């Protein structure tokens, strides 16, 4: 079995998504649950969110990631 492509390495993938302009500005990014589970795993993803103080919600096969440490309030 060959090594995964560099863009699919879990550490690289996490660094890349959190280096996006939206993430750097403290905005919102979205990633598919399937990609997260396949590339880094849910547990590692959640650990990284906690390490950064970020929050995320899951809906319809997507994670919506709030790249800041502000409280998240579900409106309805």
């Amino acid at each position: 079995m060959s090594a995964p492509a560099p863009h699919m390495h879990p550490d690289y993938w996490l660094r890349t998504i959190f280096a996006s302009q939206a993430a750097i500005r403290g905005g919102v990014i979205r990633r598919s649950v399937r990609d997260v589970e396949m590339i880094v795993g849910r547990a590692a993803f959640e650990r990284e969110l906690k390490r950064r103080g970020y929050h995320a919600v899951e809906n319809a096969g997507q994670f919506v990631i709030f790249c800041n440490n502000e409280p998240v309030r579900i409106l309805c």
Side-chain angles (χ1 to χ4, degrees):
M1 180 188 247
S2 62
H7 70 279
M8 297 298 273
H9 189 275
D11 292 334
Y12 177 82
W13 190 84
L14 282 171
R15 279 193 312 271
T16 301
I17 66 168
F18 292 120
S20 69
Q21 287 300 310
I24 290 169
R25 288 190 311 265
V28 176
I29 57 176
R30 180 176 54 92
R31 293 295 181 269
S32 79
V33 170
R34 183 181 59 90
D35 285 353
V36 169
E37 290 176 344
M38 180 179 65
I39 298 169
V40 297
R42 186 180 288 256
F45 179 66
E46 289 181 17
R47 278 192 304 274
E48 185 64 15
L49 290 173
K50 286 179 186 174
R51 186 182 79 75
R52 292 173 179 269
Y54 294 171
H55 304 284
V57 295
E58 180 180 350
N59 179 263
Q62 297 287 311
F63 286 119
V64 178
I65 307 155
F66 304 92
C67 299
N68 59 64
N69 60 5
E70 297 295 322
V72 174
R73 185 170 54 118
I74 305 296
L75 297 178
C76 54

